[in-house]
Amino acid sequence: MIALTEVGLLSHLLALIAYVGLFVAALTKQRRGVNLWLAGAALMTSLWAASFVASILIDSSLQPWISRLQTLKTGAWIGLLLYLLRPTWLGGEGEGRSSFWVGGTLGFVLALQIGIDAAGVGQSALMGEGDVTASLFLVIRIAVSVTGLVLSHNLYIATRGGQLSGIRLLAIGLAGLFLYDLNFYTLAFLLPPASVDLYNIRGAVNALLVLLFLFATRDAWVRGARVSRNVAFQTVAFSGVGFYLIAMSLLAYALKLVGGNWGTLLQVSFLFATIMLAAVILVSDRFRAWLRVAIARNFYRYRYDYRSEWLRFIATVSAPGDAQGLPERVVQAVASVLEARGGWLLVPDDDRLSPGATWQMADRPPEALATDSPLVDWLRQDRLLDLDMVRDGELPDAPDLPPWLATDRRYWLVLPAFNRDALAGVLLIGRSLVPRRLGWEDEELLKTLGRQVGSYVAESRGQSALDEARRFEEFNRRFAFILHDIKNLVSQLSLLARNAERHADNPEFRADMVATLKESVGKMNALLSWLSQRATGLPATDAPVPVASLLGHLVKSRVGAWPALTLHLGSNADRAMVSGDAARLEQMFAHLLQNAIDASPAGAPIRFDVAVAGAELVVTLADRGEGMSARFIRQELFQPFTSTKAGGFGIGAYEAREIARAHGGRLDVASREGEGTSFTITLPLVGNGAVGGAAGKPALLVEGEQA
């Protein structure tokens, strides 16, 4: 048996007196709740200390009871911890199951320790003379100490400073108690036999902790202690690591026993490999997501900590960044709630919902959704859609999915975003790190987030529209000064022309000068007329326009400066007519052509293709220039007064799109950086211009002066 010294007698006598006093204090303050559990733990500790004193003063044969009462003492303190943490660990729908597992596991471990103690193995284990059973006894002691230490940490984090300072002191005291035991039994296991000094002084260490335990004798100090989900996650992870290391240490010890001369090498190599494996698992996002889901399912009535989720959502959305990055942050905030790999935000764009922003899924954008599609009608009913359930046929009333969405298994959920009962956007959420099915709680949370997303999207679009209006106002203000200057110049030139007619001596020079001045005046008056028309919003002319002829004149006027410019006409395209303003349509094509020339290296081909597709005319302008990124196209290309060219106004692409829309058409763009850009203008045909069937092969090629 391990030696009991006079120092041990004094320290355990001090512990006996201290814990008897704690027992009395706990019972006399209040007789409810935590004080009864604290009194029970103090009583067991008093008996443990008394057994040590009795083994020295009365009969040394009582020494085995020190180890047995140590087991009961440890169980009593862990029971106190579980009682304090019970509101969330053992509450809710899983109360019976959680209580069974926690209580059953603790009871089994305590019973196993008492059984080993009854067999007389406990003392042998401390002396380093036991067999495998003795090693198991020490490992169980270490595991129980780790459990108590983790629960103490749990309790400390769960309490709020100031309001529950007594509970925090209790947690610190218990942590000190279990930490001392952990150190003692670990050294006994690794470096047998156990330290006689540590064994004898343990009573004094326990006695010093009584001062901290006294602060927990009032219910007011402990009322309301709770364990947050984050604390539960840390606790489970910490406990898992502790038990994992214990298990791996036992296996390494077994390798050392059976490995002979290679035992030490095998032990060290195995321990290093298992520690690295544990580190890899702990930093895995998939493992962390699985652990959070498992904790939510087994320990809590509700799956989400709504306060934490909402704070995280707001923190992500309001993170530092410009207004253009807000849609991306919105997608990130929603995807993070579901531990998803990424997502897309589709926003209204005429009669479609087009990709507007993405988070971690920019490699392959989704296609646009028509606003009159069955899927969008479903979403307007404020219903989200689990795409896996639709693909597996588990939703009989589910809407028909677009072919690309039905086959693209990167996407998991479709979530509507509302703003004042109007559909402001659609979220396509990627797959979760852990496969799961949505419950009512998920749906309620996602619908709430969807409405918040809708308000953010509407606010962002409203802010963009306001900024655009302000830029237009500034642009118009500048034009007002220009108009004023041009008007003065026209007046001066008119006077000069009249004076020249009266005073010029040379008739030919006079005629030349007059003709030139009159032409300049005419051009300036035409410019004034055009500017006035744009300023007052007068309607443009509306007449049938032969687009092929218009493009032919445009190409012929520019081919001298750019010989590689060509025009290709499909079948029936030469007689296709659209309704609109010829000048504005020419302006639209001229804007796009000039952009293509500016973006292309000298001599690179630029090509117009005109084709008839059903009741629409499709004009494609393709170049092999610098190209544009998908982000630039989404966020900057059609923003007015945003230009990458020095001295540019940045209104060419914007005005081209607005002209196309004003004529009932649309402008689409496809581009790859370093490969080129393709603009496609689709306009409705009128009169005899509407031709059935798709466009055929090119029937007319216009190149250079052949145009």
Side-chain angles (χ1 to χ4, degrees):
M1 293 185 180
I2 193 168
L4 306 182
T5 66
E6 292 182 357
V7 173
L9 173 62
L10 180 61
S11 69
H12 285 78
L13 185 60
L14 181 63
L16 174 61
I17 297 172
Y19 281 94
V20 169
L22 177 63
F23 172 75
V24 174
L27 291 181
T28 55
K29 290 288 183 180
Q30 293 178 357
R31 297 181 178 272
R32 296 179 302 160
V34 66
N35 287 356
L36 294 178
W37 286 86
L38 182 60
L43 178 60
M44 293 308 306
T45 307
S46 301
L47 294 176
W48 165 77
S51 66
F52 194 102
V53 173
S55 298
I56 296 179
L57 298 180
I58 301 176
D59 189 353
S60 60
S61 63
L62 296 175
Q63 189 169 349
W65 281 97
I66 299 175
S67 180
R68 298 167 190 170
L69 289 171
Q70 167 70 21
T71 301
L72 297 177
K73 171 195 118 177
T74 303
W77 286 114
I78 291 181
L80 171 63
L81 285 169
L82 291 177
Y83 174 80
L84 291 172
L85 298 172
R86 77 192 188 287
T88 48
W89 277 87
L90 305 181
E93 297 174 353
E95 178 177 357
R97 180 173 56 182
S98 301
S99 301
F100 173 79
W101 284 110
V102 174
T105 303
L106 179 61
F108 173 78
V109 171
L110 293 176
L112 184 60
Q113 287 189 85
I114 292 175
I116 296 176
D117 264 328
V121 178
Q123 291 294 320
S124 300
L126 294 178
M127 294 298 297
E129 301 172 350
D131 51 8
V132 176
T133 306
S135 298
L136 176 62
F137 173 80
L138 292 176
V139 169
I140 294 176
R141 285 281 206 240
I142 294 172
V144 171
S145 299
V146 170
T147 301
L149 189 60
V150 168
L151 292 176
S152 300
H153 168 266
N154 194 332
L155 180 64
Y156 181 86
I157 297 298
T159 55
R160 294 166 292 176
Q163 296 179 353
L164 297 172
S165 58
I167 280 295
R168 287 203 160 191
L169 292 176
L170 172 63
I172 293 173
L174 289 173
L177 188 149
F178 289 114
L179 186 61
Y180 188 91
D181 286 350
L182 176 63
N183 178 66
F184 174 74
Y185 289 113
T186 301
L187 291 176
F189 177 76
L190 297 176
L191 302 172
S195 170
V196 175
D197 293 334
L198 291 179
Y199 186 78
N200 282 273
I201 203 65
R202 188 161 51 168
V205 173
N206 281 254
L208 292 176
L209 299 175
V210 170
L211 295 176
L212 299 177
F213 297 152
L214 283 173
F215 284 91
T217 57
R218 295 179 181 270
D219 284 346
W221 290 341
V222 299
R223 187 179 298 118
R226 295 293 184 271
V227 180
S228 70
R229 294 168 189 267
N230 188 41
V231 171
F233 173 80
Q234 294 179 9
T235 298
V236 173
F238 188 21
S239 301
V241 170
F243 287 112
Y244 174 83
L245 292 178
I246 290 172
M248 294 303 100
S249 299
L250 287 175
L251 291 175
Y253 181 72
L255 286 175
K256 183 178 180 179
L257 293 178
V258 302
N261 295 332
W262 293 86
T264 302
L265 178 61
L266 291 174
Q267 182 186 39
V268 174
S269 301
F270 180 76
L271 279 174
F272 178 77
T274 54
I275 290 173
M276 293 303 298
L277 176 62
V280 171
I281 293 175
L282 285 177
V283 300
S284 169
D285 291 337
R286 185 182 296 273
F287 171 77
R288 295 171 69 86
W290 171 84
L291 186 58
R292 285 192 178 94
V293 172
I295 291 173
R297 287 177 177 173
N298 292 281
F299 290 104
Y300 292 94
R301 176 182 300 178
Y302 299 109
R303 173 169 293 180
Y304 298 100
D305 183 343
Y306 292 101
R307 176 181 175 275
S308 298
E309 295 295 346
W310 190 252
L311 290 177
R312 182 171 65 169
F313 179 87
I314 296 299
T316 303
V317 171
S318 59
D322 55 12
Q324 293 181 349
L326 177 61
E328 296 179 9
R329 297 196 297 272
V330 164
V331 178
Q332 177 187 357
V334 176
S336 298
V337 171
L338 298 170
E339 303 284 355
R341 293 184 174 93
W344 272 92
L345 174 64
L346 308 184
V347 295
D349 181 18
D350 291 336
D351 59 347
R352 300 178 296 176
L353 290 164
S354 301
T358 184
W359 179 64
Q360 294 188 349
M361 296 187 75
D363 55 328
R364 194 170 65 191
E367 297 182 17
L369 295 175
T371 54
D372 58 352
S373 64
L375 175 58
V376 176
D377 290 339
W378 168 285
L379 297 174
R380 284 198 180 96
Q381 302 173 27
D382 197 11
R383 303 170 69 183
L384 55 87
L385 192 63
D386 187 330
L387 296 176
D388 286 342
M389 297 183 68
V390 179
R391 295 173 183 132
D392 297 340
E394 299 180 19
L395 286 178
D397 60 337
D400 294 333
L401 299 178
W404 65 268
L405 188 57
T407 57
D408 195 342
R409 292 191 170 269
R410 296 180 307 155
Y411 299 111
W412 170 37
L413 295 176
V414 185
L415 174 66
F418 284 93
N419 180 51
R420 296 184 179 180
D421 298 327
L423 190 64
V426 170
L427 283 164
L428 294 178
I429 304 299
R431 293 206 163 274
S432 175
L433 293 173
V434 179
R436 54 189 286 194
R437 287 296 175 91
L438 299 182
W440 67 267
E441 189 180 359
D442 301 285
E443 294 187 4
E444 292 297 328
L445 176 61
L446 290 175
K447 287 180 180 179
T448 302
L449 294 180
R451 291 194 172 273
Q452 192 68 19
V453 168
S455 66
Y456 281 125
V457 172
E459 180 182 351
S460 177
R461 291 170 66 89
Q463 185 62 42
S464 298
L466 180 59
D467 293 341
E468 181 179 318
R470 288 173 177 171
R471 287 194 293 266
F472 268 115
E473 181 181 358
E474 175 64 19
F475 199 67
N476 289 334
R477 188 180 66 84
R478 295 176 184 176
F479 261 101
F481 290 105
I482 295 174
L483 287 173
H484 182 269
D485 293 340
I486 292 177
K487 185 177 180 181
N488 291 338
L489 181 58
V490 169
S491 299
Q492 293 173 8
L493 290 175
S494 299
L495 179 59
L496 177 62
R498 289 194 297 270
N499 290 337
E501 288 176 345
R502 292 195 300 267
H503 302 294
D505 295 331
N506 189 331
E508 293 182 1
F509 174 78
R510 181 183 60 194
D512 241 358
M513 182 181 61
V514 171
T516 302
L517 291 175
K518 284 185 176 180
E519 183 180 359
S520 299
V521 171
K523 288 183 178 181
M524 292 183 183
N525 281 326
L527 179 60
L528 283 172
S529 176
W530 178 77
L531 291 174
S532 299
Q533 182 186 44
R534 295 298 301 272
T536 57
L538 295 176
T541 59
D542 190 8
V545 178
V547 175
S549 176
L550 184 149
L551 288 174
H553 289 299
L554 178 61
V555 170
K556 188 173 182 179
S557 66
R558 299 293 183 91
V559 77
W562 201 271
L565 175 62
T566 58
L567 170 64
H568 296 255
L569 300 180
S571 60
N572 302 316
D574 56 334
R575 58 187 178 88
M577 308 285 284
V578 300
S579 178
D581 185 337
R584 297 195 69 195
L585 289 173
E586 182 180 12
Q587 184 184 18
M588 174 182 67
F589 293 121
H591 279 319
L592 298 178
L593 177 57
Q594 188 60 47
N595 285 344
I597 292 174
D598 292 340
S600 300
I606 300 176
R607 169 173 172 152
F608 273 109
D609 282 283
V610 185
V612 175
E616 294 180 327
L617 181 70
V618 181
V619 180
T620 302
L621 173 62
D623 65 62
R624 298 180 186 175
E626 299 175 357
M628 298 173 287
S629 67
R631 185 181 184 280
F632 180 86
I633 294 174
R634 290 196 309 270
Q635 299 185 2
E636 298 185 37
L637 177 61
F638 296 111
Q639 289 294 323
F641 315 118
T642 301
S643 177
T644 58
K645 296 181 290 186
F649 282 111
I651 61 173
Y654 172 82
E655 187 154 17
R657 187 182 67 172
E658 294 305 306
I659 292 174
R661 289 178 173 178
H663 286 78
R666 67 177 184 272
L667 171 63
D668 297 306
V669 58
S671 182
R672 286 184 178 272
E673 292 183 277
E675 296 183 16
T677 302
S678 175
F679 285 96
T680 301
I681 303 97
T682 304
L683 299 169
L685 294 168
V686 295
N688 297 328
V691 181
K697 295 181 179 180
L700 174 64
L701 174 64
V702 180
E703 293 187 355
E705 292 297 322
Q706 298 177 5

